[in-house]
């Protein structure tokens, strides 16, 4: 059974990596249907890798990946689908935050402070270029910063093992960095070649988040100073 699982993982990893390379090769092409097909492959492989999700934490992560896939496809259709795509990704972050809250609901206010400052700073920085998208983007920033905060709040909690906690935090941070870079490209100043960095950060972040839910290792005792 373990050998069969290993073979499945290797096949999915190879197919997913092929999808990543194919998308990066055609990222500048105007044929959106080609980009959609290649872009869907990595997340489809992650979904198959996690199937079937067992337990509250893996199910919320699985839901977040499904919503991210929907967002990916909507954004590739064209500018007219930007808001629906943004909403799909907002719901994906809600699902990830719910997963992290299923591990611990300790407020960890001090850990939330950097992300509050990040949300305010990003909002002020992006606001002049947002136009009619100002409030939807502000809502999205608030949700993704909340999701990232909750991933950090898990560290040291008893609901999930240290390896999986760190994987979730790394994934959340890379997802946030990808979105920030994308927002700069869309609303502030186009950066040559930034599309490659956006997608590599995004896919690596999703992989780390999926890793945290693949076979969660549950810890039995929280660190004593983690309830701040």
């Amino acid at each position: 059974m373990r050998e069969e699982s290993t073979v499945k993982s290797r096949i999915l990893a190879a197919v997913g990596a092929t999808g990543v390379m194919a998308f990066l090769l055609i990222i500048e092409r105007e044929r959106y249907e080609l980009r959609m097909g290649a872009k869907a492959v990595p997340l489809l492989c992650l979904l198959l890798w996690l199937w079937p999700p067992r337990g509250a934490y893996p199910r919320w992560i699985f839901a977040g990946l499904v919503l991210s896939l929907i967002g990916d496809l909507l954004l590739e259709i064209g500018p007219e689908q930007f808001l629906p795509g943004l909403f799909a990704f907002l719901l994906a972050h809600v699902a990830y935050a719910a997963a992290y809250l299923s591990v611990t609901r300790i407020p960890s206010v001090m850990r939330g402070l950097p992300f509050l400052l990040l949300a305010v700073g990003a909002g002020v920085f992006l606001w002049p270029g947002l136009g009619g998208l100002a409030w939807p983007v502000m809502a999205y920033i608030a949700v993704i910063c909340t999701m990232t905060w909750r991933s950090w709040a898990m560290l040291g909690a008893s609901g999930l093992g240290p390896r999986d906690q760190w994987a979730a935090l790394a994934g959340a941070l890379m997802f946030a960095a990808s979105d920030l870079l994308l927002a700069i490209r869309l609303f502030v100043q186009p950066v040559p070649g930034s599309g490659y960095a956006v997608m590599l950060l995004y896919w690596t972040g999703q992989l780390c988040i999926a890793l945290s839910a693949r076979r969660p290792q549950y810890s039995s005792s929280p660190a004593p100073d983690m309830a701040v």
Side-chain angles (χ1 to χ4, degrees):
M1 189 69 178
R2 178 175 295 180
E3 183 178 347
E4 181 180 340
S5 177
T6 301
V7 171
K8 174 186 173 183
S9 296
R10 288 176 178 173
I11 292 173
L12 289 173
V15 174
T18 301
V20 168
M21 290 186 291
F23 182 81
L24 294 178
L25 287 172
I26 62 174
I27 194 170
E28 304 294 342
R29 299 278 183 91
E30 294 184 3
R31 295 283 300 276
Y32 80 87
E33 65 273 14
L34 292 177
R35 294 198 310 270
M36 285 179 68
K39 195 177 190 182
V41 170
L43 285 197
L44 284 172
C45 288
L46 287 180
L47 288 167
L48 290 172
W49 189 53
L50 289 181
W51 183 261
R54 296 185 175 91
Y57 183 86
R59 283 196 291 268
W60 279 117
I61 297 299
F62 191 88
L65 288 169
V66 170
L67 289 162
S68 296
L69 176 58
I70 294 171
D72 276 338
L73 299 180
L74 287 171
L75 291 181
E76 284 301 320
I77 292 174
E80 68 279 4
Q81 295 299 321
F82 180 80
L83 274 179
L86 187 73
F87 185 64
F89 275 113
L90 184 149
L91 292 179
H93 294 310
V94 170
Y96 291 152
Y100 306 148
L101 285 166
S102 74
V103 175
T104 179
R105 297 192 178 186
I106 293 173
S108 299
V109 175
M110 294 305 296
R111 292 185 180 186
L113 184 58
F115 298 105
L116 174 61
L117 296 175
L118 175 62
V120 172
V124 171
F125 179 66
L126 295 173
W127 184 273
L130 294 178
L133 293 172
W135 292 113
V137 172
M138 290 299 103
Y140 184 85
I141 290 172
V143 170
I144 192 172
C145 286
T146 300
M147 180 275 291
T148 314
W149 160 42
R150 293 315 308 172
S151 71
W152 193 14
M154 283 199 307
L155 290 186
S158 60
L160 202 65
R163 181 195 65 187
D164 299 317
Q165 292 172 7
W166 282 106
L169 175 59
L173 291 173
M174 282 187 278
F175 205 149
S178 171
D179 277 349
L180 180 58
L181 187 56
L182 177 62
I184 292 172
R185 189 181 73 171
L186 292 177
F187 303 118
V188 181
Q189 175 73 38
V191 180
S194 61
Y196 299 97
V198 166
M199 294 311 302
L200 288 172
L201 282 168
Y202 168 70
W203 279 320
T204 307
Q206 294 280 33
L207 173 60
C208 288
I209 291 171
L211 279 169
S212 75
R214 168 65 170 170
R215 287 192 180 88
Q217 300 296 313
Y218 296 95
S219 61
S220 58
S221 59
D225 60 345
M226 294 301 180
V228 177

